[in-house]
Amino acid sequence: AQKVTQAQTEISVVEKEDVTLDCVYETRDTTYYLFWYKQPPSGELVFLIRRNSFDEQNEISGRYSWNFQKSTSSFNFTITASQVVDSAVYFCALSAAGSNYQLIWGAGTKLIIKP
Amino acid sequence: GAVVSQHPSRVICKSGTSVKIECRSLDFQATTMFWYRQFPKKSLMLMATSNEGSKATYEQGVEKDKFLINHASLTLSTLTVTSAHPEDSSFYICSARNQGGLRNEQFFGPGTRLTVL
């Protein structure tokens, strides 16, 4: 069975602090893909990253970085020097052949950045 | 590229009426589209997978007679909420898979907020 766990329901930090959103996944497939999406109050999903299971290199994009560790089945997302505009709900998701590449979603983490 | 639109973005209707939501892939052909429902403060829940020219595949617990899905062309899928009731109020999101793209890639529409009075 495929499963994605985002244990942090809500995180609140003060602007300019670094914050890490956790994502733990379960799958028996050897080939799979992991995603992060941002959902601001408007509701529209914003794609942030896709990572395949064969690429464990960490990725950095501006203030965003992702740490993929197959040994712990985790794909954590860090925002450095957070800004108020980062406030949103963030979803981690998994896609694999075992689920016909349907997206399996985590429960989401609501991130609140206080000025 | 890879833009998906939804119309309307917001709809308010009276109980008992039917509401149609359109999902269009604007710059690519989508053999497969997905319909999701999102309750407040919850994650996305897949309702059905829509394949062009064939019947939609509904997830367990989703009433196919309540949520009619039609995928008549490679760029358009519609979701009709029939005889809507207040409990159908929700945020509905569609996504589309590019016919010539990766199977693991979905492009999302902006969502439709349905309020049934």
Side-chain angles (χ1 to χ4, degrees):
Chain A
Q2 330 271 2
K3 185 179 179 181
V4 175
T5 302
Q6 292 180 258
Q8 303 151 309
T9 304
E10 183 173 306
I11 300 175
S12 181
V13 300
V14 176
E15 198 172 20
K16 297 183 183 177
E17 286 185 13
D18 298 348
V19 58
T20 295
L21 283 61
D22 298 333
C23 174
V24 174
Y25 63 92
E26 294 177 30
T27 181
R28 292 183 178 178
D29 285 77
T30 54
T31 302
Y32 53 90
Y33 302 85
L34 296 163
F35 303 78
W36 275 96
Y37 289 88
K38 175 182 180 180
Q39 188 177 41
S42 66
E44 183 163 2
L45 286 168
V46 178
F47 167 80
L48 297 178
I49 190 171
R50 176 181 63 242
R51 173 68 75 202
N52 76 59
S53 53
F54 298 109
D55 184 1
E56 277 193 85
Q57 282 191 340
N58 291 334
E59 174 127 355
I60 299 175
S61 177
R63 296 183 296 107
Y64 295 172
S65 63
W66 290 268
N67 183 0
F68 177 25
Q69 292 202 343
K70 290 176 75 171
S71 60
T72 55
S73 296
S74 64
F75 187 44
N76 297 338
F77 172 34
T78 297
I79 300 175
T80 303
S82 60
Q83 299 176 3
V84 172
V85 293
D86 295 327
S87 297
V89 179
Y90 290 85
F91 291 99
C92 180
L94 165 72
S95 171
S99 58
N100 198 25
Y101 295 103
Q102 286 180 3
L103 283 167
I104 308 301
W105 297 87
T109 296
K110 182 176 182 179
L111 178 62
I112 301 169
I113 310 296
K114 299 176 184 176
Chain B
V3 178
V4 175
S5 70
Q6 273 184 251
H7 179 80
S9 57
R10 185 181 294 268
V11 57
I12 301 173
C13 69
K14 291 183 179 179
S15 188
T17 61
S18 293
V19 175
K20 180 186 282 188
I21 302 170
E22 293 186 349
C23 177
R24 293 181 185 273
S25 55
L26 299 185
D27 50 3
F28 65 97
Q29 294 186 324
T31 49
T32 303
M33 288 184 171
F34 302 89
W35 286 96
Y36 295 88
R37 181 174 182 176
Q38 186 179 29
F39 290 101
K41 300 184 180 182
K42 296 294 183 182
S43 188
L44 280 73
M45 180 188 77
L46 180 65
M47 298 174 67
T49 302
S50 164
N51 293 297
E52 186 267 336
S54 64
K55 290 184 179 180
T57 302
Y58 290 82
E59 295 300 303
Q60 195 170 11
V62 178
E63 300 176 60
K64 60 181 180 181
D65 295 330
K66 174 75 171 176
F67 299 100
L68 299 178
I69 292 173
N70 184 277
H71 192 159
S73 78
L74 286 172
T75 59
L76 172 65
S77 176
T78 59
L79 168 67
T80 301
V81 183
T82 61
S83 187
H85 290 282
E87 58 265 30
D88 299 323
S89 298
S90 198
F91 192 54
Y92 293 88
I93 305 173
C94 75
S95 70
R97 184 182 278 164
N98 190 333
Q99 181 181 32
L102 302 173
R103 291 203 66 192
N104 61 74
E105 193 168 40
Q106 294 181 28
F107 301 98
F108 286 86
T112 297
R113 197 165 300 279
L114 170 63
T115 303
V116 185
L117 302 176

